[in-house]
Amino acid sequence: LRTVTGVQTCALPICVYIAAHDLHHEMRAEHECREYNVELVSVIHPAAIVSPLAAIGRNVFVGAGASVGPLAQLGDFVRVLAGASVAHHSSVGRGSRITDGARIAGHCTVGAGVLVGLNACVNAHVNVGDDCVLVSGAAAIAPIPSRSVLRSDGKVYQRPS
């Protein structure tokens, strides 16, 4: 530690991972971290498989048994939970949650703020818009517009504004 103009500082960078219950709280914490020059880091479980060719954003979590394929892109604040997978050439937008056992096939785009429920899947080449919910067990076989809910019976509903 050293003192600069009466304030004690550390010569090493300060790094944190923010684990909040929702994206709004994470964004507020991110703002505070920026204010104090605190670097956000990502956490990858030792039992996860992440391709060295994947692009991982800031404050990303990849859980045990999860996999992220080559040329996949995970935006900031993304969560890929236990046993979930994001295949090659797919992208997941800022703050999206890929929950336990969910599958994102190759060449997909999942927008920002999306929740992909337990064991839900997004088929190859399918795009999911921002702020969508794919309920547990749902299968996205066609594009899903922003602010939609995909039910497990395949019906798509617009979320209220």
Side-chain angles (χ1 to χ4, degrees):
L1 293 177
R2 60 192 168 116
T3 303
V4 177
T5 61
V7 177
Q8 222 176 30
T9 63
C10 180
L12 298 174
I14 299 171
C15 302
V16 298
Y17 170 76
I18 300 168
H21 69 280
D22 69 22
L23 189 57
H24 172 74
H25 287 93
E26 289 178 357
M27 297 302 109
R28 195 168 73 212
E30 176 192 30
H31 175 74
E32 291 176 15
C33 287
R34 244 193 330 250
E35 204 173 299
Y36 293 102
N37 293 321
V38 174
E39 182 181 351
L40 297 176
V41 296
S42 293
V43 174
I44 298 173
H45 192 281
I49 300 169
V50 177
S51 169
L53 300 177
I56 308 295
R58 295 174 312 120
N59 211 74
V60 169
F61 175 80
V62 181
S67 65
V68 179
L71 304 177
Q73 299 176 10
L74 303 181
D76 295 344
F77 295 93
V78 166
R79 306 284 182 267
V80 181
L81 300 183
S85 65
V86 177
H88 60 94
H89 298 88
S90 289
S91 65
V92 179
R94 181 180 176 98
S96 289
R97 306 303 199 241
I98 313 302
T99 61
D100 299 334
R103 303 281 185 250
I104 309 299
H107 299 277
C108 293
T109 300
V110 174
V114 172
L115 172 65
V116 180
L118 298 169
N119 296 310
C121 64
V122 178
N123 283 7
H125 301 278
V126 172
N127 295 329
V128 177
D130 295 340
D131 299 314
C132 288
V133 175
L134 281 61
V135 301
S136 296
I141 59 174
I144 308 296
S146 293
R147 299 205 44 80
S148 295
V149 175
L150 173 64
R151 295 184 355 179
S152 58
D153 63 5
K155 291 188 173 130
V156 178
Y157 294 93
Q158 281 299 119
R159 293 175 61 188
S161 296

